[in-house]
Amino acid sequence: MTTWNTISVVGSKLLTPVGLLILFGVAYLSIRRRRLLHDDGVEAYKSSVANDLIEPTTLHPEINASRCTGCTACVKACPEGEILKIINHKAVLVQPTMCVGHGECEIACPFGAIDLVFGTKKRGMDLPRITSDYETNVKGLYIAGELGGMGLIRNAVRQGRSAAMHAVSRLPKNAKADFDLLIVGGGTAGLAASLAATQARANYLCIEQHSVGGTIYNFPRQKIVMTKPADLPLVGTMSFPNDKVSKEELLQFWTQIRRRYSLRIKEGCKFEGLTKENEIFHIRTSLGHVTAKKVILATGVRGTPRKLRVPGENLPKVTYNLIDPEQYQKQDIAIVGGGNSALEAAIQLAQSNLRNRVSLIVRSRQFNRANQENIENVNALALHGRIWVIFESQIQSIHPTHIVVDHGGSPIKMNNTFVFIFAGSEVPTDFLTSLGIKVDKKFGERLRKS
């Protein structure tokens, strides 16, 4: 009874005019904040709809409105900027084309309201058929990393490790082969698989057609490739002095790891195909024939760039990546694309000391797949006349000394010595099906968690 009386007295004191004023003030600020968040979210969503940027192009979050409380945890967790916003007290993916599938929003949500999905109901996504252990429909043949539809270093590490652990735990006992496990690709997924195989003391070989680092090796100099640490077999958490890790820092790290653990990697060895007889894979490579009990494909998709399919695209001056900007000086350069890779290439090639004439050809009405920092840098260079940005345009044809660009229905003839195309990559469907792997089109299917 005493306790109840005490609460009543305290309550009556709080409900004084001053207490009520404070209470209403807090409520007003809360409502105003919610209204501002709503208006901001609606404005961003309307902009995406108006510019036809509403269909995500990769793995992305799907929000269950019945579970979402609008707490903003997912909004704050996204490392790519304001891709998620609050509308009507619910989280909404307002800039879908700029989502790169980090999954930080899913991890941050305290109510389990977010799932990561491939494709949408309207736009399907071709993906190889794999189990939760990354094994394809061809028993003993695995896919890890970007080839399976997921980018990002942390994802590649997890998949490479899981695939290798599953493979070596199920080796056929009576079969004989050169190797227990053959890993195709010396990028992040392949290196993680090699570490896991080393830890399991398996007889393995990793082959890489170019140099260790795979896709990352072909990135432009000083490109930021990692912002979140990952846990490696044997090594533990990857640690670097800075949060933003450049291409060079990561490659140096991989070189150190390769030497420290004596990873069995054969560079300059191209995978050319395989067949399976009973329980053994017969693998054809540019350096000869080998056999293995299990195989992991960790090749990525950069070797299958999306083509423009225009006349002249096979000319030697056309390329799909930029490694060393310094070799291009005083040139007429056209860059195709509106994502981070295209913008970063434009920024590097437009350095004042190179004295290039750089044109950035963007199909949409605005940059739709780039982060804000890159957009601001390109806009600043455009303001100073170092980059000519041409929106709503596309190359019609490529010629030895010029290109023809369709800009709003009008053709423009432009002097040109080099064309860089950054239109994304495609899952190499023909290559996968030639190996017997089934490829499905996903329409909003959830990511299986391992």
Side-chain angles (χ1 to χ4, degrees):
M1 194 69 178
T2 303
T3 303
W4 176 253
N5 288 337
T6 302
I7 293 172
S8 299
V9 171
V10 172
S12 64
K13 287 182 178 180
L14 286 174
L15 294 177
T16 61
V18 175
L20 287 170
L21 186 62
I22 293 172
L23 186 63
F24 283 124
V26 171
Y28 170 78
L29 291 174
S30 177
I31 293 171
R32 178 173 171 76
R33 176 177 175 275
R34 288 278 183 175
R35 172 52 60 183
L36 290 173
L37 287 172
H38 171 84
D39 292 345
D40 189 35
V42 168
E43 189 66 28
Y45 187 77
K46 284 182 177 179
S47 176
S48 293
V49 171
N51 291 287
D52 195 23
L53 305 176
I54 207 62
E55 287 291 327
T57 57
T58 183
L59 185 71
H60 62 279
E62 184 178 72
I63 296 116
N64 185 332
S66 65
R67 291 185 179 182
C68 178
T69 65
C71 69
T72 74
C74 59
V75 177
K76 296 172 182 175
C78 180
E80 295 300 315
E82 299 179 338
I83 291 173
L84 287 159
K85 286 184 179 289
I86 303 298
I87 299 178
N88 289 328
H89 312 300
K90 305 292 182 182
V92 176
L93 186 62
V94 296
Q95 297 193 67
T97 58
M98 295 183 70
C99 179
V100 296
H102 279 287
E104 295 299 321
C105 53
E106 181 191 35
I107 296 170
C109 179
F111 304 102
I114 295 178
D115 288 303
L116 297 181
V117 299
F118 292 107
T120 67
K121 292 179 180 179
K122 293 182 179 179
R123 180 173 179 167
M125 186 174 179
D126 287 332
L127 290 173
R129 187 180 299 179
I130 56 176
T131 69
S132 58
D133 297 304
Y134 308 104
E135 189 174 21
T136 70
N137 57 285
V138 179
K139 293 298 181 183
L141 180 58
Y142 297 75
I143 287 178
E146 194 179 14
L147 187 61
M150 291 180 65
L152 303 181
I153 287 173
R154 187 170 68 254
N155 292 333
V157 167
R158 175 170 53 82
Q159 293 184 13
R161 178 184 62 236
S162 298
M165 290 172 63
H166 188 267
V168 299
S169 68
R170 287 164 173 76
L171 295 172
K173 294 181 179 179
N174 298 322
K176 293 183 179 181
D178 298 326
F179 301 100
D180 292 334
L181 176 63
L182 183 82
I183 302 162
V184 182
T188 301
L191 287 164
S194 298
L195 284 165
T198 300
Q199 188 173 36
R201 297 183 179 179
N203 177 24
Y204 75 94
L205 177 67
C206 176
I207 62 173
E208 165 57 46
Q209 65 175 336
H210 297 303
S211 301
V212 167
T215 297
I216 293 170
Y217 187 85
N218 292 314
F219 282 161
R221 290 185 301 170
Q222 297 304 314
K223 177 179 171 65
I224 300 301
V225 295
M226 190 172 74
T227 57
K228 294 283 184 179
D231 291 325
L232 291 168
L234 288 176
V235 179
T237 302
M238 301 168 68
S239 59
F240 296 88
N242 303 309
D243 292 334
K244 294 183 177 181
V245 182
S246 70
K247 160 192 170 177
E248 288 75 13
E249 290 174 310
L250 186 58
L251 290 178
Q252 183 180 21
F253 175 82
W254 284 132
T255 299
Q256 293 171 350
I257 294 302
R258 179 187 180 184
R259 291 172 180 169
R260 183 186 307 169
Y261 296 98
S262 301
L263 299 183
R264 303 166 197 167
I265 301 174
K266 185 70 175 178
E267 293 177 299
C269 182
K270 183 180 180 181
F271 172 78
E272 295 181 343
L274 59 75
T275 55
K276 187 179 181 182
E277 296 180 12
N278 298 322
E279 295 181 305
I280 300 300
F281 288 96
H282 296 260
I283 301 102
R284 302 184 304 278
T285 80
S286 58
L287 299 180
H289 173 272
V290 294
T291 58
K293 298 176 183 178
K294 304 282 184 178
V295 176
I296 297 176
L297 299 178
T299 58
V301 296
R302 183 156 286 263
T304 314
R306 185 172 287 114
K307 302 291 185 67
L308 300 182
R309 293 180 173 84
V310 298
E313 192 171 359
N314 60 340
L315 289 173
K317 71 177 190 175
V318 179
T319 186
Y320 301 88
N321 58 56
L322 172 67
I323 299 176
D324 185 7
E326 296 291 336
Q327 66 179 302
Y328 303 95
Q329 299 187 30
K330 300 180 182 179
Q331 304 293 333
D332 290 301
I333 297 173
I335 299 169
V336 179
N340 283 318
S341 295
L343 270 62
E344 287 164 2
I347 292 165
Q348 295 206 29
L349 289 167
Q351 296 175 61
S352 58
N353 63 302
L354 301 182
R355 299 169 67 184
N356 291 314
R357 293 166 293 280
V358 179
S359 300
L360 185 56
I361 301 169
V362 185
R363 189 168 192 167
S364 61
R365 284 176 276 183
Q366 64 181 38
F367 297 119
N368 56 12
R369 293 178 290 111
N371 61 44
Q372 194 60 36
E373 182 181 357
N374 283 332
I375 293 173
E376 290 174 357
N377 287 336
V378 165
N379 287 338
L381 289 167
L383 186 64
H384 289 86
R386 304 247 293 279
I387 296 177
W388 181 22
V389 183
I390 316 173
F391 289 112
E392 296 185 277
S393 61
Q394 52 189 320
I395 290 181
Q396 283 186 331
S397 58
I398 302 171
H399 306 268
T401 60
H402 68 278
I403 59 174
V404 178
V405 176
D406 179 355
H407 177 50
S410 300
I412 303 174
K413 182 179 178 180
M414 299 169 54
N415 292 335
N416 176 262
T417 46
F418 292 100
V419 177
F420 291 88
I421 299 173
F422 296 96
S425 302
E426 298 175 327
V427 173
T429 304
D430 292 342
F431 163 71
L432 293 175
T433 53
S434 73
L435 303 178
I437 298 172
K438 294 181 179 179
V439 177
D440 300 321
K441 191 173 285 289
K442 308 292 185 181
F443 290 91
E445 183 170 318
R446 290 182 183 179
L447 169 68
R448 288 191 296 266
K449 298 179 177 64
S450 58

